Amino acid sequence: MVFAPFAAGYFLSFFFRNVNAVISRDLAREFELAPSDLGFLTSMYLLAFAAFQLPLGVLLDRYGPRRVVAALFCVAAAGAATFALAQDFTMLSVGRALIGLGVSGGLMGAIKAFTLWFPLSRLATLNGLYLAAGGVGGLAATAPAEALLGPLGWRALFMGLAALSVSAALGIFFVVPEKPLPGEGRPLRAQIAEFRSIFARLMFWRIVLPFVICHAAYLALQGLWLGPWLYDVAGHDRQAVGNYLFVTAGAYTLGSIFFGVTSDRLAAAGVSRLTMFKLGMAISVAVFWLLAMGVTQGLAGLLFVYGFTTISASLAYALLPPAFPPEMTGRVTTASNVLMFGLSFLFQWGVGAVLRLYPVADGQYSPQGYSTALILLAVLQLAVLAWLLPMKQQ
């Protein structure tokens, strides 16, 4: 009753996040979008998502996840309908932003609910299984979404997503039970002021920066630019692109379960979750470097390993809450999320801005442009990984 309704909404959140990688060519052709326009449009989801994270943390700690997340999914439904009916770039952008705002509580609301209903020793497992539900939504936004575009078209697809968003809101509101909140009744001013104590912790930054930079790079790729990269650098057709996106999303889903369940079991045996966090981050950064260098040999294997290990970043959601009082869990997780989705916006838009500096030939973006953009992201990931690796368990 707690897990399933939130998981259904999170499925939709991931579908919304990644579907533009499949419909990017349709949007670019119909609305005559430049690469920077396409990057800006898709990243409006991330900008609105990020902008609402700090208010969301206060709302979750003050009013609870059931009411807050149900209301937000109604906003997502309005955004999907606006996107489906859009006649120009502005209306598309508004719809995309409303979608991002509407699904902004999908993960944070669930984590808040899990900390209320389950022991913290099971948090990584619950988060992993929950992220897997989102990963299935990411899977659905690849080859299955591509198959639906032929008979339905992208506009009908988004009208269907609007109806499903309303259904998710109703399920969360009427099925998830209420539970008294820790610290209930505390003054709003005091709750907002406690963000200062979160951002003042060095431990917070050493865990959060690798998480946000590495995962934001993944979102920039899987949410938009991996599809065009597969067309323009790897030279694949539309069906193959959908299949490769499916492989990455599928690996992400499997990795969610693996890192969540395994880290809790190893923690019980004396191996810290921080060790698993470091290991997954190191492998994902190494594979990202290969993609940035334009390696296309054994591409399915590379994308599988990248998707499987990059989700290890989400162990930050299990590492952070035990270090803070239980009444602050909503604000702790949203404090990290505002950084992650803010960077995701910058990365997704920034790749398009870099590509615009290079010539476009026959509708294809320059391989040199992709290489420049991805190497910049790879350097950032390597820098934060170097800061993380010496960290000791606290």
Side-chain angles (χ1 to χ4, degrees):
M1 291 174 68
V2 174
F3 184 91
F6 281 108
Y10 198 52
F11 172 96
L12 288 175
S13 174
F14 256 67
F15 192 100
F16 279 126
R17 187 182 302 174
N18 293 336
V19 70
N20 273 24
V22 172
I23 66 171
S24 59
R25 289 264 168 126
D26 302 280
L27 296 176
R29 181 173 56 253
E30 184 170 339
F31 294 94
E32 299 180 350
L33 303 180
S36 56
D37 295 330
L38 189 59
F40 178 82
L41 167 64
T42 303
S43 61
M44 285 300 292
Y45 169 108
L46 301 170
L47 180 62
F49 198 114
F52 195 64
Q53 287 302 294
L54 296 185
L56 173 66
V58 175
L59 292 171
L60 289 173
D61 284 340
R62 191 170 184 83
Y63 299 107
R66 182 183 68 91
R67 287 175 285 178
V68 172
V69 177
L72 286 172
F73 267 104
C74 293
V75 177
T82 301
F83 195 89
L85 299 172
Q87 298 302 313
D88 55 34
F89 179 73
T90 299
M91 197 170 175
L92 277 177
S93 299
V94 170
R96 184 74 176 165
L98 286 173
I99 292 170
L101 174 61
V103 301
S104 62
L107 177 58
M108 301 297 97
I111 292 176
K112 179 66 178 181
F114 295 162
T115 62
L116 292 174
W117 287 95
F118 299 96
L120 290 179
S121 61
R122 296 177 60 191
L123 189 56
T125 296
L126 286 162
N127 290 348
L129 294 173
Y130 189 77
L131 288 165
V136 174
L139 280 172
T142 59
E146 175 68 44
L148 290 174
L149 289 176
L152 295 180
W154 67 270
R155 292 183 185 273
L157 176 63
F158 271 81
M159 288 304 294
L161 290 171
L164 289 174
S165 298
V166 172
S167 300
L170 294 174
I172 291 169
F173 188 81
F174 288 108
V175 176
V176 176
E178 277 290 357
K179 190 168 187 179
L181 298 170
E184 197 167 19
R186 296 187 67 243
L188 179 61
R189 184 185 296 271
Q191 288 186 307
I192 295 173
E194 285 173 338
F195 275 115
R196 189 180 308 159
S197 66
I198 296 171
F199 290 122
R201 293 278 298 275
L202 179 62
M203 168 266 192
F204 174 84
W205 290 106
R206 290 193 74 175
I207 290 175
V208 164
L209 282 182
F211 160 52
V212 300
I213 288 177
C214 295
H215 208 253
Y218 169 81
L219 293 180
L221 283 186
Q222 187 69 11
L224 177 61
W225 291 114
L226 182 56
W229 184 89
L230 288 165
Y231 286 119
D232 302 336
V233 176
H236 292 293
D237 60 21
R238 185 163 188 160
Q239 181 177 356
V241 167
N243 290 336
Y244 277 116
L245 291 171
F246 186 88
V247 167
T248 313
Y252 184 96
T253 303
L254 294 175
S256 301
I257 300 171
F258 173 81
F259 281 98
V261 174
T262 303
S263 65
D264 274 351
R265 290 187 175 180
L266 289 178
V271 179
S272 73
R273 295 180 183 88
L274 183 61
T275 300
M276 291 291 290
F277 183 61
K278 293 177 181 179
L279 177 63
M281 290 287 87
I283 296 173
S284 72
V285 171
V287 177
F288 190 96
W289 268 98
L290 295 177
L291 297 173
M293 299 302 294
V295 174
T296 58
Q297 301 255 333
L299 188 55
L302 285 177
L303 291 176
F304 183 91
V305 173
Y306 178 61
F308 188 88
T309 56
T310 197
I311 188 56
S312 63
S314 68
L315 287 175
Y317 292 132
L319 290 167
L320 291 171
F324 294 87
E327 64 271 16
M328 294 177 63
T329 53
R331 281 161 291 165
V332 170
T333 52
T334 56
S336 60
N337 239 29
V338 68
L339 299 169
M340 199 261 284
F341 282 93
L343 277 179
S344 298
F345 164 77
L346 291 176
F347 289 177
Q348 205 164 80
W349 171 81
V351 171
V354 171
L355 289 175
R356 195 168 189 173
L357 300 175
Y358 292 80
V360 178
D362 298 324
Q364 294 187 324
Y365 306 138
S366 167
Q368 290 77 21
Y370 284 107
S371 179
T372 300
L374 296 186
I375 286 174
L376 289 173
L377 296 182
V379 169
L380 287 174
Q381 292 178 70
L382 188 61
V384 293
L385 179 65
W387 193 35
L388 168 70
L389 290 179
M391 182 179 179
K392 304 296 184 182
Q393 182 71 33
Q394 299 180 4

